Amino acid sequence: MIDRGSPVPSVGVKLVTADGATDTTSDAILGTGLVVLFTVPGAFTPTCHVNHLPGFVANAAKLKAAGIDRIVCATVNDHHVVKAWGEVAGALGTVDFISDGNAELAEALGLMKDSTAFGMGMRFVRSALLIRDGVVDAVFVEDAPGVNASGAPAILMALEAAYS
């Protein structure tokens, strides 16, 4: 698993925004400013759709006020699914998305889990990272089902403790 002080890897991904999907690299997306990256097992999956993503959308203004320049969600889904999820969730324009269709970024970050038993293949673990200018400042990985350590409220508390 990626550690504090490590640079984010450069992996080919698709960036999904309100403007559409573009080919780019993970370090290009995560390399400037203070970024919160949260990773989810899958778009439209119950916990991701009902608890994780909505918390970041609802707290976007607070995160920005606390110094976050960009909010990014990464998932191992194709960019069409990711765009549809962002639209349905009302998140596009507030959250940018990384479509990591082949789980290459999940693997490079050491945040990959095997969900083949559930018919989902390799996926991200549920986590969040604070990244400053392309270097990881903090890593929050869920150790149980649900959204606790990697949710927006936890990130706000970490920002208050570390950056105030």
Side-chain angles (χ1 to χ4, degrees):
M1 178 173 24
I2 196 159
D3 296 335
R4 185 179 195 279
S6 298
V8 293
S10 181
V11 176
V13 295
K14 288 199 182 283
L15 173 63
V16 179
T17 66
D19 296 327
T22 55
D23 291 322
T24 187
T25 59
S26 51
D27 58 327
I29 298 167
L30 305 170
T32 303
L34 183 57
V35 178
V36 60
L37 168 68
F38 66 104
T39 66
V40 299
F44 292 109
T45 58
T47 303
C48 305
H49 186 66
V50 175
N51 300 110
H52 212 174
L53 176 58
F56 281 94
V57 173
N59 286 287
K62 291 179 185 175
L63 288 161
K64 299 279 184 171
I68 294 293
D69 297 303
R70 191 174 201 179
I71 302 167
V72 181
C73 176
T75 184
V76 179
N77 293 104
D78 70 74
H79 65 282
H80 301 291
V81 169
V82 174
K83 183 142 190 338
W85 184 41
E87 289 170 348
V88 167
L92 293 176
T94 301
V95 174
D96 292 336
F97 292 85
I98 291 176
S99 169
D100 184 28
N102 293 322
E104 293 171 2
L105 179 59
E107 183 175 17
L109 290 169
L111 295 172
M112 188 167 68
K113 71 176 184 173
D114 185 348
S115 294
T116 54
F118 308 107
M120 296 173 62
M122 303 308 282
R123 297 293 176 127
F124 271 105
V125 298
R126 187 175 310 286
S127 70
L129 291 82
L130 289 172
I131 303 165
R132 181 179 297 281
D133 295 325
V135 177
V136 176
D137 267 2
V139 180
F140 309 89
V141 177
E142 297 293 347
D143 59 3
V147 179
N148 295 300
S150 67
I155 300 306
L156 283 166
M157 287 176 30
L159 287 166
E160 184 177 297
Y163 299 108
S164 54

